[in-house]
Amino acid sequence: MTDARAFEAFLLEYQDMVYATALRLLGNPMEAEDVAQTVFMKAFERFDQIGTSPSAPGWLKTVTTNVCLNHLSRYRNRWRFFSELSRADAHAVDSWTSGPQDSGTPGPRDPNTALDEALMKLPPHQRVPIVLFHFDDLSYQEIAERLGVSVGKVKTDIHRGREALRAVLR
Amino acid sequence: MTPRGVDFDPLDPLTRALRQLPEPRAPQTLAPRVMAAVYARLAHPPARTWFEWPRVWQVSSAAGVLAVLVGMVLVWPMAVALLQPAVDEMSARAVAVVHNAELTLSIAGVFFRAVWFPLVVPFLAVVTVMTIACATVGAMLDRVALGGASR
């Protein structure tokens, strides 16, 4: 039987990495926590194999990414529908240009916080490729294969997402 | 670290800012809820499929199934020889029951044909005609003799 204490140590060591990956891909803390739990339960099922393996972080990251993409694919139709609407993109850029609407507190803000919030608020079809590109170091081709879209669409979405984020930095 | 296939300048402010973003920390609630799920799993482990059984169990179960199959093949002729009289007797009884049922049905058919057509059909015809005739006569009497007084 798996040692629960050993697994708890494993969990405490990697929970930030798994949660961060899920949060950046999903943009929703509640869903990220659910996904993190799912990933760790999968890890628990094969803890005998990965518990002491040096490839555990990579395994966790890959499984987290896959679970998140599966989660998002449930909304793929809506995602594709909105991704075709250039108006939505324009609106997103406008909203970032004018700053986050729910900040509530006037005055200078931490650029990291603003950028993080802007990244979370990007539509999934822009946020996911940007996260896979900048945080998981996947190539355009790999992202296109993972998402089941064309390389051109990946480039376009990353470009538009970056433009929206760049507006926050200005 | 420079992503593969990148055509963004690593010195670009946005690229640098993204790289320098701090990793979000897991909420305090994550570890307790995962461990709760782990303890629940340990308390009620899900049934494992055959492919997840230990190797010894897999080999033993496969050998057991094979033994049962071989036994059935070997025992089958003996079982047939043993059961054949009983099967024959049961089939003979079934044939007799079916034969009796056929006979009963044919008698019922003859009776039905003998009674229905010669007696019941004419009787129903007479009753119908008489009913219509009575109704007609009643209507005529009502109109002619009583002058529609019943209405």
Side-chain angles (χ1 to χ4, degrees):
Chain A
M1 182 177 289
T2 305
D3 184 359
R5 287 188 183 278
F7 181 75
E8 188 167 13
F10 176 85
L11 164 67
L12 292 175
E13 184 176 354
Y14 294 115
Q15 63 173 349
D16 287 340
M17 186 265 285
V18 169
Y19 178 76
T21 303
L23 180 62
R24 281 180 173 147
L25 281 170
L26 299 174
N28 182 311
M30 300 289 285
E31 292 177 3
E33 200 172 344
D34 288 345
V35 163
Q37 177 173 350
T38 303
V39 171
F40 278 113
M41 289 313 290
K42 286 177 184 286
F44 178 71
E45 286 167 6
R46 48 172 60 198
F47 189 58
D48 293 339
Q49 297 155 30
I50 65 166
T52 54
S53 167
S55 63
W59 185 90
L60 284 171
K61 189 142 192 160
T62 302
V63 172
T64 306
T65 303
N66 290 340
V67 173
C68 288
L69 294 183
N70 287 341
H71 179 86
L72 288 168
S73 71
R74 295 175 194 164
Y75 307 100
R76 181 158 291 175
N77 287 336
R78 192 171 62 183
W79 175 4
R80 283 183 177 161
F81 173 74
F82 283 112
S83 72
E84 300 302 327
L85 295 177
S86 57
R87 282 183 187 177
D89 297 332
H91 174 72
V93 172
D94 290 345
S95 67
W96 306 134
T97 307
S98 59
Q101 294 166 352
D102 58 350
S103 60
T105 53
R109 305 180 66 215
D110 176 13
N112 276 345
T113 306
L115 185 61
D116 221 359
E117 286 180 2
L119 182 63
M120 294 297 111
K121 289 180 180 176
L122 280 180
H125 68 273
Q126 292 175 358
R127 185 182 62 250
V128 170
I130 283 180
V131 169
L132 294 177
F133 190 84
H134 284 291
F135 296 100
D136 289 357
D137 292 336
L138 296 187
S139 67
Y140 289 135
Q141 184 65 41
E142 288 167 328
I143 295 170
E145 287 169 5
R146 298 288 283 274
L147 301 182
V149 297
S150 67
V151 173
K153 175 163 170 48
V154 170
K155 286 182 178 177
T156 303
D157 286 341
I158 288 179
H159 175 73
R160 289 179 179 172
R162 282 177 58 93
E163 288 305 307
L165 295 177
R166 199 184 299 282
V168 177
L169 289 182
R170 283 178 196 142
Chain B
M1 190 186 333
T2 304
R4 286 169 280 160
V6 154
D7 55 4
F8 297 121
D9 180 3
L11 297 178
D12 174 70
L14 175 61
T15 304
R16 275 192 297 149
L18 285 171
R19 296 268 159 207
Q20 290 167 358
L21 273 182
E23 189 174 76
R25 295 192 62 114
Q28 299 283 332
T29 52
L30 178 59
R33 69 182 272 193
V34 171
M35 288 313 295
V38 164
Y39 286 122
R41 177 69 60 88
L42 287 174
H44 303 286
R48 291 186 294 179
T49 64
W50 185 84
F51 296 101
E52 296 166 330
W53 288 5
R55 189 71 66 196
V56 178
W57 291 15
Q58 288 180 331
V59 172
S60 304
S61 61
V65 169
L66 192 64
V68 169
L69 287 176
V70 170
M72 284 176 67
V73 169
L74 293 176
V75 168
W76 183 251
M78 219 183 309
V80 167
L82 264 173
L83 295 174
Q84 192 63 49
V87 171
D88 289 345
E89 187 182 346
M90 282 180 65
S91 59
R93 283 186 188 174
V95 167
V97 168
V98 170
H99 181 69
N100 287 341
E102 278 181 356
L103 192 62
T104 306
L105 279 175
S106 66
I107 291 171
V110 170
F111 180 76
F112 180 77
R113 282 193 296 275
V115 172
W116 180 261
F117 290 107
L119 297 176
V120 177
V121 171
F123 174 75
L124 286 178
V126 169
V127 168
T128 306
V129 169
M130 291 301 290
T131 304
I132 293 171
C134 286
T136 307
V137 170
M140 286 170 65
L141 273 175
D142 181 47
R143 178 177 291 272
V144 174
L146 303 177
S150 64
R151 273 174 279 170

